[in-house]
Amino acid sequence: MYPRILSGIYVVDRTISIIQCGLLLFLFLFSSYFGLSWRSYVLGIAIGLGIYSLVHLATSSIWMRAGPFNGSYIIDFVTMATFHCCVLIWFFYLVSPEPVRRNAGEIPHNDLEVWDRELGRLLHG
């Protein structure tokens, strides 16, 4: 029973890594639409998580394919080194100044009564 539970946990772990990679790819592709600068803290955290998720997904796939072997400490070392690099990326984004955000401007004033009257005029005749 123990190997079945362990393999189920590994499948869930790989599924979560795939979902994280997809969501972060979506964030990177649409970062300009969301108004995120490449120098913003949010994107820095996402870059670190994306790198770690990709490496973790690759190393867990290698480990699942090869199984436990004598050189598995290399996989652990790669995962640990990647995490430390991601911490350095997060630290860099933390100490670097975030660009000043611009205001969108003043929101135009809308007279809802005029809109309602015109919509009623269009609907009724």
Side-chain angles (χ1 to χ4, degrees):
M1 184 164 135
Y2 177 72
R4 291 183 67 179
I5 293 173
L6 194 59
S7 68
I9 290 172
Y10 286 138
V11 167
V12 169
D13 185 43
R14 287 178 66 191
T15 304
I16 289 171
S17 292
I18 290 171
I19 291 171
Q20 282 178 340
C21 291
L23 287 173
L24 292 170
L25 179 66
F26 176 80
L27 179 66
F28 293 145
L29 290 176
F30 294 104
S31 63
S32 64
Y33 178 76
F34 295 136
L36 294 174
S37 168
W38 283 97
R39 304 278 305 175
S40 71
Y41 299 136
V42 173
L43 215 56
I45 291 170
I47 288 170
L49 286 175
I51 291 170
Y52 183 72
S53 293
L54 284 172
V55 171
H56 181 68
L57 181 64
T59 55
S60 67
S61 297
I62 291 170
W63 192 83
M64 291 285 287
R65 179 75 174 147
F69 58 96
N70 289 337
S72 65
Y73 66 90
I74 295 172
I75 292 176
D76 294 334
F77 180 76
V78 168
T79 304
M80 181 182 61
T82 302
F83 180 76
H84 286 25
C85 289
C86 292
V87 168
L88 290 175
I89 291 171
W90 295 330
F91 183 73
F92 170 74
Y93 273 94
L94 181 67
V95 297
S96 65
E98 188 171 2
V100 178
R101 295 182 185 200
R102 295 177 287 157
N103 288 337
E106 189 164 327
I107 299 173
H109 176 69
N110 292 323
D111 193 7
L112 294 178
E113 292 176 11
V114 174
W115 283 75
D116 188 42
R117 187 174 57 243
E118 290 298 319
L119 183 60
R121 187 180 62 82
L122 286 173
L123 289 175
H124 295 295

